[in-house]
Amino acid sequence: MSNSNGASKPHVILIPYPAQGHVAPLMKLAYNLASHGIKVTFVNTEFIHMKIMSAMSRETAHHCSINLVAIPNGLESNSSGEQDRKKLIEHGPKYMRVHLQNLIESINCANNDTHVTHLIADISNGWALEVAKKMCIKTVAFVPYALGNLAMILHAPKLVEAGILDVYGLPIREELISLSKELPTWNMNELAWSINGDLKRQKFIYKHFIKNITEHIKISDSVIANSSYELEPSAYHLIPNILPIGPLLASAHFGMFAGNLCSEDSTCLRWLDQQPTGSVIYAAFGSTVICNQHQFIELAHGLAITGRPFLWVVRSDFTMDKEAIEEFMDSDVLKRIQIFGKIVKWAPQEKVLAHPSIACFFSHCGWNSTIEGVSMGVPFLCWPYIVDQFHNRNYICEAWKVGLAVNSDENGIITRHEIKSKIEELVSDEDIKVNSLKLKEMVKKSVGEDGTSYKNLLSLVDQINYYTTRKQSISDGFQTVAKI
């Protein structure tokens, strides 16, 4: 188990949950670990792996400092529908366990100086943590969302015992939930597993993710999170032994691939260069938000009637009615609104948010988008969609005071007039601008030298190196005894 200098090099496997918002932060962590001299193997399902390889440029792939590999999940590689996702969640782990174990064994057999010593898995991937535990590999659970939402998840069994939730995670009685005076409260219909209007799906999420999180933490040697103490001090104190190491940003390492599953349209950066400082509305709603045709049209007109330049990310599946999008893209309406703005399918978000022309971020409040916007000091217009996004909105608007929220009408639609009025209010609010810049500096400090997140990351690196060295010493001792 030794290399040319007689020392074993640490080798870590990272396994994200197969979704954009989970892959991206863990890949950023992978690059961080690699920059500290740790060998990294990044394991995706075959479908996600193909998407990543398609999104990466040849140059980026050639200079990639981490090893990207794929294991099958038991489904066809192009399976991505709702039923296929359910099959993957219910049956995929049984299938993937064997392939992960085989991968680890093949790595250990093929390379004498880099045996796998640690496995870092998304906290939703308890199956991977179990495989590592059985193989005597150190385990680290990675939390890709806010500490506040993790605290609520860990608190869920007590809510069931108190008769506030039923065994499926559904509210029995309506009331606000508070875990701490300093934390924003939770509405019973805006919990980390809430899916508005879809109780069946909500039960599914609670059963397969929420109920098991506590067990996943118990079997982990360490728990790390893409957050910082400064962002969530109250939530931090509710979770024993958590190591916040974020925000994890691609911009922290030059040339780092951001872990996108779609190709970025970099033409928007050149377009931003032509816009006045602090003038552009950036509208992007993540990888899963879907709106109906009515909402889509209201959103388009809402951006247009502000009279401000805007950059709008419109995925090909942004509405269920793809024909409606295609018709809209060819319509006179689009031609009129494009006088003011630019539409792309996917944007290099960190670079966009860091651009001096950006005035505000119209966002779904996914955690990655939230901490990226915070890190760049950009005010938010919040439009949460599902699960943890509601509490992220509450952080933005109530705790940090760096944004405003849009409100729907009696039909559940965010109207063009609501969008226009809230954007006008947001961009003219000097207090929000000041708070945004203060939060940016605070977060910047946490990931800088001597910052809390930076120290926690170094602590993780030290743990990995220490265990590798210790394991090497034990192995060398066995070899010396054998020779004697």
Side-chain angles (χ1 to χ4, degrees):
M1 279 183 63
S2 61
N3 57 23
S4 56
N5 3 357
S8 177
K9 186 175 182 180
H11 189 160
V12 178
I13 284 182
L14 286 88
I15 306 181
Y17 180 76
Q20 174 69 71
H22 296 252
V23 171
L26 204 54
M27 183 168 280
K28 292 168 188 176
L29 173 59
Y31 278 98
N32 269 287
L33 295 176
S35 72
H36 284 89
I38 295 171
K39 185 174 177 62
V40 174
T41 297
F42 199 82
V43 181
N44 283 300
T45 63
E46 290 176 337
F47 178 63
I48 297 294
H49 179 77
M50 286 190 296
K51 278 185 161 292
I52 286 175
M53 298 310 293
S54 296
M56 289 178 80
S57 67
R58 287 186 180 180
E59 184 180 359
T60 303
H62 180 71
H63 292 99
C64 188
S65 58
I66 61 178
N67 185 29
L68 302 173
V69 301
I71 58 174
N73 58 18
L75 297 175
E76 295 295 326
S77 60
N78 62 349
S79 300
S80 58
E82 183 66 25
Q83 289 305 315
D84 290 320
R85 282 193 289 270
K86 287 185 176 180
K87 286 180 185 177
L88 173 61
I89 293 166
E90 290 179 317
H91 307 297
K94 296 177 185 176
Y95 193 83
M96 289 188 284
R97 284 173 194 269
V98 176
H99 290 281
L100 175 60
Q101 184 170 331
N102 291 342
L103 172 65
I104 294 171
E105 289 173 349
S106 66
I107 289 172
N108 289 344
C109 289
N111 204 325
N112 287 328
D113 66 346
T114 57
H115 283 215
V116 177
T117 57
H118 286 73
L119 180 138
I120 303 175
D122 190 293
I123 199 165
S124 297
N125 283 345
W127 64 270
L129 297 167
E130 290 168 1
V131 168
K133 210 72 180 173
K134 288 178 181 177
M135 298 182 75
C136 298
I137 294 170
K138 288 290 184 180
T139 53
V140 181
F142 176 76
V143 181
Y145 41 78
L147 298 179
N149 276 304
L150 176 60
M152 172 53 73
I153 289 169
L154 297 177
H155 195 75
K158 292 182 180 178
L159 298 178
V160 174
E161 289 174 12
I164 298 171
L165 298 176
D166 66 17
V167 293
Y168 303 106
L170 300 177
I172 295 173
R173 60 178 194 257
E174 292 294 327
E175 62 181 74
L176 292 175
I177 299 174
S178 175
L179 299 185
S180 162
K181 288 182 180 179
E182 291 77 21
L183 271 177
T185 56
W186 280 264
N187 183 301
M188 287 302 296
N189 295 314
E190 296 180 347
L191 298 171
W193 52 94
S194 294
I195 307 288
N196 287 340
D198 193 341
L199 296 183
K200 187 176 179 182
R201 190 175 170 200
Q202 183 170 321
K203 287 180 181 180
F204 184 86
I205 290 175
Y206 187 80
K207 175 184 176 182
H208 291 278
F209 293 108
I210 305 306
K211 287 180 69 176
N212 300 321
I213 294 299
T214 302
E215 292 304 313
H216 298 170
I217 287 177
K218 284 180 182 177
I219 64 173
S220 301
D221 295 300
S222 303
V223 183
I224 58 177
N226 188 20
S227 185
S228 73
Y229 170 79
E230 288 77 8
L231 279 176
E232 305 184 81
S234 298
Y236 170 82
H237 292 299
L238 294 173
I239 308 168
N241 305 318
I242 190 84
L243 279 179
I245 59 170
L248 294 165
L249 300 171
S251 55
H253 296 269
F254 180 75
M256 180 196 291
F257 177 65
N260 291 319
L261 306 186
C262 300
S263 298
E264 298 174 341
D265 186 342
S266 60
T267 62
C268 63
L269 297 175
R270 294 191 289 275
W271 179 83
L272 286 172
D273 290 339
Q274 299 167 12
Q275 311 307 317
T277 299
S279 66
V280 177
I281 304 158
Y282 174 53
F285 306 101
S287 59
T288 60
V289 172
I290 295 174
C291 63
N292 59 39
Q293 185 178 355
H294 184 183
Q295 182 62 81
F296 180 77
I297 298 299
E298 285 298 306
L299 179 53
H301 284 286
L303 292 170
I305 63 177
T306 63
R308 287 177 165 270
F310 63 85
L311 172 61
W312 184 17
V313 178
V314 181
R315 307 184 324 268
S316 59
D317 60 347
F318 188 52
T319 80
M320 295 297 289
D321 189 348
K322 292 186 180 180
E323 290 183 6
I325 286 189
E326 290 171 3
E327 288 176 12
F328 177 77
M329 291 302 185
D330 292 329
S331 68
D332 290 335
V333 177
L334 178 66
K335 291 172 185 174
R336 288 200 301 272
I337 70 170
Q338 280 189 320
I339 295 171
F340 300 103
K342 182 175 179 63
I343 297 175
V344 296
K345 290 185 177 179
W346 200 256
Q349 184 158 287
E350 284 187 34
K351 293 177 182 177
V352 167
L353 290 169
H355 199 283
S357 70
I358 297 298
C360 65
F361 185 10
F362 191 5
S363 172
H364 67 308
C365 305
W367 186 242
N368 290 313
S369 291
T370 298
I371 58 175
E372 286 167 5
V374 162
S375 298
M376 308 307 169
V378 179
F380 285 82
L381 184 60
C382 302
W383 183 17
Y385 178 61
I386 53 172
V387 294
D388 67 321
Q389 297 162 11
F390 300 110
H391 193 64
N392 300 341
R393 171 205 58 198
N394 294 345
Y395 265 141
I396 291 167
C397 299
E398 298 172 22
W400 304 330
K401 301 186 187 307
V402 295
L404 301 173
V406 291
N407 298 307
S408 58
D409 65 10
E410 62 277 8
N411 299 312
I413 297 294
I414 309 295
T415 67
R416 63 189 72 182
H417 303 295
E418 169 71 0
I419 292 168
K420 180 179 184 293
S421 65
K422 282 294 170 63
I423 286 176
E424 288 175 349
E425 183 182 352
L426 179 64
V427 297
S428 62
D429 193 316
E430 293 301 320
D431 288 338
I432 286 179
K433 289 179 186 177
V434 170
N435 291 340
S436 298
L437 293 176
K438 283 181 180 178
L439 201 59
K440 173 186 176 180
E441 289 306 309
M442 187 169 66
V443 169
K444 185 179 178 182
K445 203 171 183 179
S446 71
V447 294
E449 269 191 60
D450 296 325
T452 56
S453 289
Y454 183 74
K455 287 179 180 178
N456 287 340
L457 178 63
L458 289 185
S459 176
L460 175 65
V461 170
D462 288 343
Q463 287 177 34
I464 293 170
N465 285 326
Y466 172 77
Y467 181 74
T468 305
T469 304
R470 183 169 172 269
K471 195 170 182 181
Q472 176 67 48
S473 299
I474 293 171
S475 175
D476 290 345
F478 282 138
Q479 289 177 19
T480 301
V481 170
K483 287 178 183 178
I484 294 172

